[in-house]
Amino acid sequence: MTDPAPVNDFFTISSGYSQLWKSATLSGELRRWARHWPHRTAVVDPQERLTFAALDGAADRIAAGLARIGLRRGDRVVVQLPNRADFLRVWFGLQRLGAVPVHAMPAHRRDEIVHLAATSGASALVVADRQGSFDLREMADQVGRTLRERGLAPPTVIVAGKAGTPHRVSLADLDEELDHGPVPAPGPGRRLLPVEGPDPDDPDGPAPGDLALLLISGGTTGRPKLIPRSHTDYLLTAELGAAAADVGPDTVYLAVLPIGFNFTLACPGVLGTLASGGTVVLAPDPSPATAFALIETEGVTHTALTPALVPHWLAEAQTWPEALHSLRVVQVGGARLPDELARVAGPALGARIQQVYGMAEGLICYTALDDEPELIATTQGRPSCPEDDLLIVDPASGAPVPDGQAGELLVRGPYTLSAYYNGPVPDPAFTPDGYYRSGDLVRRLPTGHVVVVGRVKDQINRGGEKYAAIEIEDHLLDLPGIRAVAIVGIPDQDWGEAAVAVLVHDGPAPSVRALATHLRERGLAAYKAPQQVHSISRLPLTPVGKVDKQALRALLTSVPKGHHR
Ligand code: J2J
């Protein structure tokens, strides 16, 4: 599919970053790593261990295999794979071809995958065969049927595992050494940054400033948007992260969170570790028991968690502290880590805590490993790059707030996006001078540390998994007897936030379970189902006629426990 290069204003405001941007592609980097340390272990999963040379070889074969089935440079491919070595084989295979992975999450279901495939114009969809009892291949076929009904081309389904039927392609068949004939002429890349190529180790590859991957936004105004990231800015993200987390050749990084999550992949995560010559260990599930066993056997030094996982790790550490002897750095991010938990976590885990406040759109903040303990416990860190340009403004007027006061964080910088992929022009998510509106309320200390105090975006963040309230409101409005819906986040002890469906309805109120069933039937990820239902005769409105979610939140948090169903 053609994907013409857009005119991008970022070219004009970004020239000051050229010192920071290196002229390298992700495929070229893997080549160099494999040349520098071919026999070191790059990736470990429960079934296999891959050296850097083996990963590089797999990328070559899979790129050729993808070309055999008709994929070309610039083509988008939705990748929904669990934390297994196959994710990295496919991901680097796509990079070597110059195709663009679109990162789906393992919890996503038909509706989300259809949206990602449709908005990216994906040529292929890569899934595992099953996830527990759920057959992802059937879901992938349904995605194809839904797209066809909408007049769009269904993606080729590629299965890591048993393909099941001949109309699906098995990854094992792509990963074969075959003479594939002449390599097809590369298509055009989509240039995001003014960084020319080629990378000497990827001479036929895309330019370093070209689109390399598409991440998904948490969503605020509807369905998730696609975040374009280039080779250059993504490598910069990973390298800044490696410096912040003290990642080096001795690092053994345990990926507990989904590998397609920006935090896990690049902050510094998998890429920062590989770029430093370290080893990545993939946890097949996020349970502390699995993680602790891997930490003990593989000598894990670094990992990254969401706040919701921390109490479970503390409980496990009480009974199995010796498993953690090698652990040095535990990063926590994705949602606000309560200060009290941050204070106890380091000593209990025998490791340094590093708070990470980041967004797939770009900006990543880290506390320094040697920051004062109180700063580590109570702040979300400082921007990882001196060129990150942060502005804190009054959300209503847009005017900068006085130093130290809370306001909405706006950001631009060398690895922060300037437009969503195929987004509207102009896009209210950006200011006219190129700042991304994060929707987060923050306060900045004189040390430069940022404290996240709330948010202005209408989003639910359940333990790090985000979605736009409106996405669920729209689906619930379709239920019989429902006249109005507001999804409101309220504090939750275990998950940081719980979603309450506030309903104006005829007849009896639907149960929490009925809502979950409806959303599952609509093909949505299970984490988007509300935890509580609350009936109301009329939704309160703000003076401009919007649903007053603050008033609802105040009402819900003042109602005595037991009233909600
Ligand atoms: C409070 N809110 C936070 C934190 C993210 C590293 C770390 C996290 C993400 C991520 C990421 C928070 N305290 N420590 O991509 O590379 C909320 C904010 C933010 C939104 C971004 C990474 N860390 N948040 O979480 O794109 O509201 O990225 O704007 O998924 O999560 O979500 P996402």
Side-chain angles (χ1 to χ4, degrees):
M1 270 175 225
T2 53
D3 194 3
V7 179
N8 192 332
D9 290 344
F10 201 56
F11 276 60
T12 45
I13 61 170
S14 62
S15 45
Y17 305 140
S18 50
Q19 304 277 343
L20 291 164
W21 284 335
K22 70 177 189 187
S23 193
T25 64
L26 289 155
S27 161
E29 286 289 278
L30 175 60
R31 272 271 192 268
R32 281 186 284 279
W33 306 334
R35 199 167 58 233
H36 289 317
W37 40 73
H39 306 303
R40 280 198 205 161
T41 305
V43 188
V44 178
D45 84 3
Q47 253 106 67
E48 54 183 334
R49 309 176 82 84
L50 290 183
T51 62
F52 281 88
L55 185 58
D56 189 49
D60 278 336
R61 289 191 302 277
I62 290 176
L66 292 167
R68 267 199 309 277
I69 62 166
L71 276 130
R72 299 287 176 268
R73 174 179 306 167
D75 283 353
R76 279 78 61 206
V77 175
V78 177
V79 179
Q80 187 197 36
L81 289 176
N83 287 11
R84 301 286 290 275
D86 278 342
F87 180 102
L88 290 172
R89 282 199 179 86
V90 168
W91 198 84
F92 278 112
L94 290 166
Q95 293 301 343
R96 186 126 305 156
L97 183 66
V100 178
V102 183
H103 291 200
M105 289 296 126
H108 282 158
R109 290 295 174 259
R110 187 192 69 238
D111 188 72
E112 286 105 358
I113 304 287
V114 164
H115 172 68
L116 293 178
T119 44
S120 66
S123 314
L125 163 60
V126 191
V127 291
D129 45 11
R130 318 187 128 269
Q131 194 183 87
S133 61
F134 188 78
D135 194 322
L136 293 154
R137 298 164 297 191
E138 280 172 17
M139 180 196 71
D141 291 349
Q142 284 174 8
V143 167
R145 282 195 291 275
T146 310
L147 289 169
R148 201 175 292 122
E149 280 161 22
R150 294 193 194 165
L152 298 169
T156 303
V157 176
I158 301 171
V159 183
K162 294 194 180 67
T165 72
H167 74 264
R168 306 185 194 117
V169 177
S170 103
L171 179 63
D173 288 345
L174 297 180
D175 192 1
E176 269 181 20
E177 198 78 64
L178 289 181
D179 180 11
H180 51 82
V183 176
R190 180 190 281 228
R191 193 66 47 89
L192 297 178
L193 304 179
V195 187
E196 304 300 326
D199 179 325
D201 287 301
D202 188 21
D204 302 320
D210 282 359
L211 176 66
L213 62 148
L214 288 163
L215 297 172
I216 47 173
S217 74
T220 49
T221 50
R223 288 152 179 273
K225 293 178 260 186
L226 293 174
I227 297 166
R229 304 295 302 255
S230 68
H231 299 267
T232 303
D233 81 77
Y234 218 53
L235 286 168
L236 177 63
T237 296
E239 285 173 8
L240 292 166
D246 194 23
V247 158
D250 300 328
T251 295
V252 181
Y253 175 85
L254 179 67
V256 173
L257 304 173
I259 182 171
F261 183 24
N262 186 43
F263 189 12
T264 325
L265 191 60
C267 302
V270 171
L271 291 177
T273 301
L274 296 179
S276 311
T279 297
V280 171
V281 179
L282 302 173
D285 67 75
S287 75
T290 301
F292 277 46
L294 288 169
I295 294 169
E296 189 166 46
T297 51
E298 300 294 338
V300 167
T301 59
H302 287 65
T303 193
L305 304 176
T306 51
L309 286 172
V310 173
H312 300 283
W313 279 53
L314 298 188
E316 188 80 13
Q318 288 199 330
T319 56
W320 196 1
E322 65 279 8
L324 304 183
H325 65 92
S326 57
L327 197 60
R328 294 202 290 114
V329 178
V330 176
Q331 299 181 299
V332 187
R336 184 68 156 84
L337 176 65
D339 296 357
E340 258 324 297
L341 197 52
R343 283 196 187 96
V344 296
L349 298 173
R352 284 175 194 275
I353 297 297
Q354 177 168 60
Q355 292 215 39
V356 186
Y357 161 54
M359 50 204 76
E361 281 83 357
L363 176 71
I364 309 289
C365 299
Y366 300 91
T367 54
L369 297 180
D370 59 359
D371 269 343
E372 294 292 324
E374 253 326 86
L375 283 174
I376 295 177
T378 60
T379 80
Q380 283 61 60
R382 276 180 293 199
S384 65
C385 183
E387 305 296 326
D388 287 322
D389 179 3
L390 278 63
L391 201 59
I392 301 174
V393 303
D394 179 322
S397 71
V401 296
D403 281 349
Q405 285 193 14
E408 184 185 1
L409 175 69
L410 310 185
V411 58
R412 61 184 186 188
Y415 59 93
T416 294
L417 89 176
S418 56
Y420 285 104
Y421 185 78
N422 292 347
V425 183
D427 186 339
F430 301 89
T431 67
D433 42 6
Y435 286 93
Y436 165 62
R437 295 183 209 271
S438 73
D440 293 323
L441 284 175
V442 308
R443 185 161 70 75
R444 195 164 32 184
L445 306 184
T447 53
H449 290 71
V450 167
V451 181
V452 181
V453 298
R455 80 176 93 90
V456 287
K457 53 192 172 188
D458 194 8
Q459 189 182 67
I460 304 294
N461 184 344
R462 186 150 168 85
E465 290 184 304
K466 294 119 190 152
Y467 57 95
I470 195 170
E471 185 185 356
I472 299 309
E473 290 162 357
D474 283 349
H475 282 288
L476 296 187
L477 269 177
D478 293 340
L479 278 168
I482 302 294
R483 287 196 271 144
V485 184
I487 297 289
V488 180
I490 58 166
D492 178 89
Q493 171 93 46
D494 299 326
W495 293 89
E497 194 161 53
V500 184
V502 182
L503 305 175
V504 182
H505 57 87
D506 305 324
S511 63
V512 165
R513 181 187 283 207
L515 298 188
T517 305
H518 172 70
L519 294 171
R520 190 178 60 239
E521 285 168 2
R522 287 291 174 97
L524 289 165
Y527 66 82
K528 298 180 183 173
Q531 281 67 50
Q532 295 178 17
V533 173
H534 184 89
S535 302
I536 199 165
S537 57
R538 165 171 77 76
L539 293 176
L541 300 180
T542 64
V544 294
K546 290 191 195 170
V547 174
D548 189 344
K549 295 212 167 169
Q550 277 189 23
L552 281 175
R553 199 166 293 119
L555 173 80
L556 291 167
T557 46
S558 66
V559 175
K561 255 196 161 42
H563 184 87
H564 308 302
R565 318 157 13 60

